[in-house]
Amino acid sequence: MNLFERTIKPDVAGVLAGSLCAVHCLATPFIFLAKAGSSLGHVESPLWYHLFDYVFIIISFVAVFYASKNTAKRWVKTALWSVWSILLMAILNEAFELIHLPEASVYIPALLLAALHLYNRKYCQCADNNCCAIN
């Protein structure tokens, strides 16, 4: 078990990253609508605000990596990586505006990733290194 797994449990980090990502995405329209109401200039979010997307995706990658190494259920491992991939594609699509998707395309995978980490933390922990990914 490395320092990350001993100090911060991967599933806890995943729940926090997924939940904060969803809150970040939900808050963005309200923050910039308020800004638009106070100034009539061009309303665009600053670069530093968009960098949060990448911080969340990196934190969630690390959390999924370690959580999937220590899960007792193979389907949870597959689901974690699948949902993380969908979240990554949604964030990249939003950044580069490849195709028009509703805002929920980011909320749903972020919240689903948090829910999977909660499920994994409660029901799928290995007692030792020999049990991982057996189901």
Side-chain angles (χ1 to χ4, degrees), residues 18-35:
S19 300
L20 289 174
C21 180
V23 168
H24 166 72
C25 293
L26 285 168
T28 300
F30 297 111
I31 291 170
F32 294 107
L33 279 174
K35 182 180 176 190

Side-chain angles (χ1 to χ4, degrees), residues 59-73:
I59 292 170
S60 64
F61 173 82
V62 172
V64 167
F65 178 78
Y66 286 108
S68 66
K69 280 181 31 177
N70 295 323
T71 188
K73 299 195 183 291

Side-chain angles (χ1 to χ4, degrees), residues 59-104:
I59 292 170
S60 64
F61 173 82
V62 172
V64 167
F65 178 78
Y66 286 108
S68 66
K69 280 181 31 177
N70 295 323
T71 188
K73 299 195 183 291
R74 185 170 287 138
W75 75 266
V76 172
K77 179 180 183 174
T78 303
L80 284 168
W81 282 113
S82 298
V83 173
W84 182 84
S85 298
I86 293 167
L87 179 61
L88 175 65
M89 288 186 288
I91 288 173
L92 291 175
N93 181 60
E94 192 170 292
F96 298 111
E97 300 175 3
L98 301 173
I99 56 174
H100 179 70
L101 294 173
E103 286 296 319

Side-chain angles (χ1 to χ4, degrees), residues 27-46:
T28 300
F30 297 111
I31 291 170
F32 294 107
L33 279 174
K35 182 180 176 190
S38 65
S39 68
L40 296 174
H42 181 62
V43 178
E44 188 173 310
S45 56

